[in-house]
């Protein structure tokens, strides 16, 4: 059996917060606003995994109204999700993610991001891919006000 999952997340970018993407701190003057550390990439990937396995969504598991998740490292959230997905008998074939952010350029950090995600999930780096797009100066992405991520994943189990 195989299943495809789709995850999406969007966070505003604000001064005074670190920019975290895929568990990697990227030097920039703004970071994601969020209840946890705001790692929009790890949140979208967690939702893709949960959706493919029909195990809920990230907001259901880690409510933004629950103070225990305040400023939580999203690597922990993704690892917790992945443990739940694996316990249901699923394995990851691959994940493909698109980051939309006007600045900074993501290409110099892509390998570190892929490595970080592969390490969190305990999979080979060739199972994870990340690419980035700008907003071409249009909308909340293009104005530098927000960052968004779409992730797909393919899960399998016997």
């Amino acid at each position: 059996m195989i299943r495809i999952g789709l995850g999406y997340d969007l966070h505003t970018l604000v001064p005074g917060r670190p920019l975290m993407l895929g568990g990697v701190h990227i030097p920039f003057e703004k970071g994601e606003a969020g209840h946890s550390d705001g790692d929009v990439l790890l949140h979208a990937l967690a939702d893709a995994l949960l959706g493919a396995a029909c195990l809920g969504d990230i907001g259901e598991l880690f409510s933004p109204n629950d103070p225990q998740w305040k400023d939580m490292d999203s690597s922990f959230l993704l690892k917790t999700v992945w443990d739940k997905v694996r316990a249901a008998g699923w394995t990851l074939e691959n994940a493909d993610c698109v980051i939309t952010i006007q600045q900074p350029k993501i290409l110099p950090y892509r390998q570190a991001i892929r490595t970080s995600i592969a390490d969190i999930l305990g999979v080979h780096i060739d199972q994870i891919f990340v690419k980035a797009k700008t907003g071409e100066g249009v909308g909340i992405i293009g104005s530098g006000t927000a960052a968004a991520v779409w992730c797909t994943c393919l899960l399998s189990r016997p």
Side-chain angles (χ1 to χ4, degrees):
M1 176 184 293
I2 60 170
R3 289 197 183 155
I4 297 170
L6 174 64
Y8 168 78
D9 201 13
L10 177 137
H11 286 278
T12 57
L13 296 173
V14 296
R17 293 272 301 192
L19 179 60
M20 299 298 298
L21 289 170
V24 174
H25 177 257
I26 297 175
F28 192 57
E29 67 264 11
K30 296 182 191 176
E32 300 107 325
H35 186 67
S36 67
D37 66 4
D39 192 322
V40 67
L41 174 51
L42 295 187
H43 296 177
L45 181 54
D47 264 345
L49 293 166
L50 287 166
C54 294
L55 294 173
D57 63 59
I58 193 169
E60 181 180 356
L61 294 178
F62 310 106
S63 172
N65 298 321
D66 188 335
Q68 75 174 317
W69 307 122
K70 180 72 177 145
D71 296 323
M72 178 61 69
D73 182 341
S74 293
S75 298
F76 172 80
L77 304 180
L78 179 60
K79 177 76 169 104
T80 302
V81 163
W82 182 232
D83 288 346
K84 183 176 176 123
V85 170
R86 282 191 5 223
W90 295 101
T91 58
L92 180 69
E93 298 300 325
N94 78 301
D96 186 27
C97 305
V98 179
I99 302 165
T100 56
I101 190 167
Q102 190 64 32
Q103 289 182 10
K105 295 295 184 192
I106 302 304
L107 187 58
Y109 304 98
R110 178 165 60 194
Q111 200 64 10
I113 292 169
R114 290 178 66 212
T115 298
S116 173
I117 294 170
D119 288 349
I120 294 165
L121 300 178
V123 300
H124 193 274
I125 192 170
D126 286 345
Q127 292 170 268
I128 307 296
F129 200 71
V130 175
K131 51 198 164 286
K133 304 293 180 191
T134 68
E136 298 293 331
V138 177
I140 59 173
I141 302 298
S143 69
T145 306
V149 173
W150 289 262
C151 290
T152 60
C153 68
L154 181 64
L155 299 181
S156 66
R157 75 175 175 196

